[in-house]
Structures are given as structure tokens and as C-alpha cells.
Amino acid sequence: MENIEIAEHLTELADLLEISGANPFRVRAYRNAVRTLRGLTQPVTQMLKEGEDLTELQGIGDDLSDHIRELVDTGGLELLEEVAREVPRELAVLTKLDGVGPKKVKKLWEELGVTTLDELEEAAQSGKVEALEGFGKKSVEKMLRSVADFRKRQGRFLRASAVQYLRPLLAHLEDTPGLKRVEVAGSYRRGQETVGDIDLLAVVEGESAPAMEHFTSFSRVDRVEMSGATRGSVVLASGLPVDLRIVPEESCGAALHYFTGSKEHNVQIRQAARARDLRISEYGVFRVDPEDEGGEEGEEGERIGGATETEIFESVGLPWIPPVLREGRGEIEAARDGTLPQLVESADIRGDLHMHSVWSDGRESIRRMAEACRDRGYEYLAITDHSQAVTVANGLTPERVRKQAEEVRALRNELEGIHLFHGCEVDILQDGTLDLPDDVLEELDLVLVAVHSHFHLERAAQTERVIRALSHPMVDILVHPTGRLLTRRDPYDLEVEAVLEAAREHQVAVELNANPLRLDLHDRHLFRARELGVPVSVATDAHRLGELEYMEGGLIQAGRGWLERGDVLNTRSLDEMREWLGRREV
Ligand code: DGT
Ligand code: CA
Ligand code: CA
């Protein structure tokens, strides 16, 4: 079982316990454990196998350690079953609605018997919810909108979609009266692949009211949730919520740091500050008198910084930490030790090893794709059309692969300034064998393998299937390894750790598919690939020219996985890439 699944079980347990009115300390203990689990880079399953003591982890005591062991051993949790006999499990889903916490869910369930989104909607429309104590008309309207929004976007927006909604808003904000500066913070700035909302900060000269009014009057605003002197919240027509905070210039760095998060990172920074008798808030860095235990809130000591983010980090003896690393996963220790990763930049990328042409489901000729890659400054590209089993994508039969090879050879001689590799995205069949015969694979420069069918095999079978494919001596890269489609399809049930270990054993690379809907592998697994020394190919899987630009988003995700240049396969020069492709020939 993956850490994230263990975390999900424990979150559900915490939600249900809270709804059932359990002791808040107990609920908080589960939530703390979840935070720890989400931050781990090593699979708990493996830690247990190696006999490690989980209670040495922060926030994990004997009880939680037992629960985790039970989840790993049995795939379930007796306690969760027990609680679920009292409290319907669907209620945990309702707590995810904006403005509806466990307390409200408890009331809705006890008083009205609501257990599902549909029932909640019905009860709200019939006026029953409004009649409940503590629920007023306003909160019911808000609830109904949250239900609609939740359905529309399942709670999250693709970062790439948010970029599109954000761009015109930022253009509009340029005309804000008195504007000195505007910054995007939150999960967006941290480069998270999906975002819950957009957090904006602005510094304005003079009064803030006209600036706030300018913000809420943006033409794409669907509704204004709140509009105060320094804080405004709107929801755009796309359903994307946007918050704006107007902050004083002297606090701008502190606010940017605070609202960039993540929460885990912020908590750790504040702890580091406390150890130095400092207090860091969204307003700045302040000296705390160590004698004056628990001084009044709002009563600040001497201010020693806050105008820039660097001042925040410097105050606790750290260099500035890039936002993509601020997830509370060891970046503070690494910054202290001087071992923060050197993030990969666009200029480091020498080629793109996954894309399609009109030979399968791409829109462009091989030549056009190659020229576009050359225009991006690459030294090489690989054309990797689908193989025959993927009939919906017009996959290549062995004969067509050979015909395509002729075209590639001819083009290679004509093209100047870029090298063209001939590859193929070969389908992994249900039993883990490959969709093209060995003699065809042998003629290719590059063999990608991928799962495109039978997504619902049971975990052991799916894992074995993929590992079998990786053990094939001609395979180079496992592409979009987990098959997830963000906000649409969950990853298939796969033991990624075992797959990564097999990749290491067989000298196969894994892909970070840069398509914004995939971003697969996911950051924690990239981190693990790096630890294991498995090279990562950051590739666009472009089906049209414009999609070659996905590389940028791929590099953001690579940063979130702490990848450095040496970890990324396609930072190699053409000669080095040739050498890698010949790695098994001695
Ligand atoms: P999202 O919007 O769900 O994609 O994720 P974020 O990280 O953008 O979260 P959001 O919008 O709720 O808050 C933005 C940042 O503000 C967050 O990353 C850290 C900071 N923040 C918000 N609430 C708290 C809090 O209760 N404690 C701490 N330490 N920081 C907070
Ligand atoms: Ca946010
Ligand atoms: Ca927010």
C-alpha cells in the first residue's frame, strides 16, 4: 500500500471520528500523522519490511503505528469499519465542500439524515437546511454553489487551466489605481499540478479601496464573495476562486512567504524562528523578548524584516528557498546544510524524447515536429508513434514501423542542426509482453513502453505486467508510468516502488510526462527515482507543435521532485545520449 493511500484511510477515519463527535485531540492526532505520511519519501511498507520503528516519526505513536501496520498487512482498518457502522462513509466526502466542515455535516446528518451530495442539494433546495439552527439563508446559498462547483471541478483546477484564467486577470490588475506590485502566491506559485484557488497579493500606493474595487470589477468575475478594505474574494466564471490581499510594502516579503506556503513549510519556518527568539508572521519578522512568555497577540516586538522574502529566510539563517521545494519535505534542513538541489532550467534541456506525428495520432509531419524542436534549440528529438495495439491512435504495424524508418533516414540526412532518433511508444500487452516483435524493436533507436489498456488489473498483476515489460532487453523508457489523468482518472493500481526498483535493475529510465493533464510521474515518485538513481526523461508527448511547450510545466514538476540536471536523461548532449542508448552493448 502506498503512503498516500494510508494517508487517505487515516483522513477518512479522522473525518468520520470528528463527525461522530470524538475527542478533538484524538482527531488531531490522526491529522498530524497524515501530514507526516504525506511528507515521507520512502514507502512505509518498505520501512516496516526493514523492521523500522514508525513511532520514531513525528506525530506517530503506538496506536497510529499499529493502525498503519494493520493497513499495510490487511489493506483495511478494523477501527474504520467500526466507526463506519455508526457514521456513513459518504459523509467524509461532504466535509470537502467549501464552507462545510465536520460540525455542519454532523448536524445535517443528525437532523436531516443527509449523507450524500444529492441529498444535501435536495435538502437545501427544499428549505430544510435553512431552517436548521446556525445555517441561515446565506450559508445555504453558499452551500448550493459549493456543491455545483465541486461537481464541476471535483474540487481542484489543473494548474494549466488556472494559468489561462489568471492571465487576463493579471492584465486587468495592471491598471489598478496606485499599483506598485502584484504577486501570485499559494499552491500556484509552488507549481502544484492542481490548485484549489489563486492567492494574489498586491502593494498599492495610497488607499486600498479603489484597488479592491478594480479587482472585483474584473469582467470575468462571476460573483464577489467578500470585499473588504484589504481582502477580497471572488469566483471567476470558470468556477476558479481568487483571493486578493492588499499588503503594506514593508510586509510584502513576509506576506508573500506566508501565502505561498505550504502550511507545513510555514510551520517549520516559524519553529526555526522561535528557536532564535523571533516571531515570523504574515506581517514581518519580530524580536520576541524571551522573558515575556506568551505576550499579547498583536503586540509585536522590534521589527527586523519583512519587505522581501530573502529577509524572512535570512532571519533564520537560511538562503532563499525556491517555492517548488516548499512542501515541508526536508527543504529547510537541506537549505541549512547547503544541499538544496540545483533545479533544472529550460536551457539545460537538450532534446525531447516522446512525441507523435501523423503516422499515428499526431497532427504534424515528422519534419515539422523536428524543425519545431530545432527552433527550440534542441540537439535531438525522438519521434515515437504508437504501436499497432493502440488502434484508436492508428498505431504502427511492423511494416509501417519499417516504412517510417525509411522516412526518418531520409529526413535525417536532410535536416540540419538537429538529430532525429527513431523511436516507438510500444504498448505493454496485458501479460507484460510487448506489442512489436524483437526484430522490429532492434531496428529502433529508442523504445518507449506504456500501458494503454486493462487499467483495472489488480495491483499485483498490474505491477508484474509492467515489470515484465521493463525486463525486456530492448526497452529504454517507461512512459507515463501511472496513467493518471488529473481530475479525471486515478492512477492505475501499481506498486510504483517495485517498478522503480525494477527500472534501476534493468537500466531503464522513467518518464515525467509533461502533458499538464498527466504530469506523471508525480513529485514524490520523482524524488524516489532520484534516490534510486533511475534517470528521468522529461518529455512532452506532443501531438501538435504547440504542445512542445509543455516542457516548461514538466520542469516545474521536476523541481517539485528535487531533480537536478544529472537526474534528467534529456539534459545529456547528443553524444552522451547515444552513449546511454548503447548502454547495454559492451
Ligand atoms: P490550494 O489552494 O488548496 O491549492 O493550496 P494552497 O497552498 O494555495 O492553500 P491556501 O490557498 O488555502 O492558502 C495559501 C497559503 O496560505 C498556504 O499555502 C499557506 C498559507 N496559509 C493559509 N492558511 C494557513 C494556516 O492556517 N496556517 C499556516 N501556517 N499557513 C496558512
Ligand atoms: Ca491557494
Ligand atoms: Ca486561498
Side-chain angles (χ1 to χ4, degrees), residues 382-420:
I383 284 289
T384 55
D385 280 306
H386 286 285
S387 65
Q388 55 194 355
V390 189
T391 46
V392 289
N394 190 24
L396 306 181
T397 58
E399 298 79 65
R400 290 185 66 222
V401 173
R402 293 201 162 106
K403 271 199 105 111
Q404 189 183 42
E406 285 169 27
E407 179 176 325
V408 166
R409 267 194 300 273
L411 261 172
R412 198 179 279 157
N413 293 331
E414 287 170 37
L415 280 169
E416 280 181 15
I418 189 155
H419 181 79
L420 176 59

Side-chain angles (χ1 to χ4, degrees), residues 87-135:
V87 187
R89 295 178 90 139
E90 298 92 311
L91 289 174
V93 177
L94 297 185
T95 63
K96 295 189 171 59
L97 290 174
D98 192 13
V100 186
K103 281 203 192 68
K104 283 196 170 164
V105 171
K106 180 175 161 64
K107 193 143 199 179
L108 290 164
W109 171 51
E110 286 177 342
E111 310 264 356
L112 304 175
V114 165
T115 59
T116 64
L117 275 181
D118 287 347
E119 288 168 4
L120 173 58
E121 195 161 43
E122 202 181 298
Q125 277 158 354
S126 71
K128 283 186 194 152
V129 177
E130 210 178 304
L132 288 182
E133 209 193 331
F135 277 84

Side-chain angles (χ1 to χ4, degrees), residues 143-282:
M143 208 177 278
L144 280 171
R145 284 194 304 259
S146 321
V147 172
D149 285 354
F150 187 85
R151 289 222 173 90
K152 196 148 100 193
R153 62 189 158 89
Q154 290 181 311
R156 308 288 299 173
F157 286 79
L158 282 187
R159 180 172 200 280
S161 315
V163 175
Q164 286 168 29
Y165 307 139
L166 186 57
R167 208 174 291 135
L169 172 58
L170 290 175
H172 171 81
L173 290 179
E174 275 171 26
D175 303 327
T176 303
L179 184 76
K180 293 186 80 172
R181 194 173 160 188
V182 59
E183 298 282 350
V184 188
S187 52
Y188 181 90
R189 183 163 180 245
R190 300 198 310 281
Q192 213 164 273
E193 56 271 56
T194 64
V195 300
D197 71 354
I198 294 290
D199 306 280
L200 297 175
L201 297 176
V203 176
V204 297
E205 189 124 47
E207 288 208 41
S208 64
M212 197 51 84
E213 205 181 302
H214 183 75
F215 168 63
T216 55
S217 70
F218 175 51
S219 63
R220 306 293 295 151
V221 165
D222 176 66
R223 56 183 192 267
V224 178
E225 301 271 87
M226 196 195 116
S227 174
T230 58
R231 170 153 185 218
S233 282
V234 302
V235 179
L236 301 183
S238 51
L240 180 69
V242 183
D243 281 351
L244 172 71
R245 291 178 177 84
I246 296 179
V247 300
E249 193 155 27
E250 57 173 8
S251 299
C252 185
L256 183 57
H257 178 264
Y258 181 87
F259 291 110
T260 295
S262 65
K263 275 182 194 141
E264 289 73 18
H265 170 90
N266 288 356
V267 166
Q268 292 176 17
I269 287 284
R270 283 201 303 261
Q271 277 166 356
R274 227 169 290 135
R276 293 170 173 245
D277 291 325
L278 296 175
R279 204 169 81 81
I280 292 180
S281 71
E282 60 195 279

Side-chain angles (χ1 to χ4, degrees), residues 18-48:
E18 193 166 352
I19 295 166
S20 79
N23 182 331
F25 289 102
R26 187 162 167 226
V27 174
R28 198 171 313 146
Y30 287 114
R31 301 215 192 275
N32 287 339
V34 166
R35 208 165 298 136
T36 298
L37 283 168
R38 290 192 188 280
L40 286 180
T41 58
Q42 217 191 338
V44 164
T45 311
Q46 190 184 334
M47 294 171 70
L48 286 174

Side-chain angles (χ1 to χ4, degrees), residues 134-145:
F135 277 84
K137 200 178 169 94
K138 276 245 160 66
S139 95
V140 171
E141 279 168 12
K142 185 165 181 212
M143 208 177 278
L144 280 171
R145 284 194 304 259

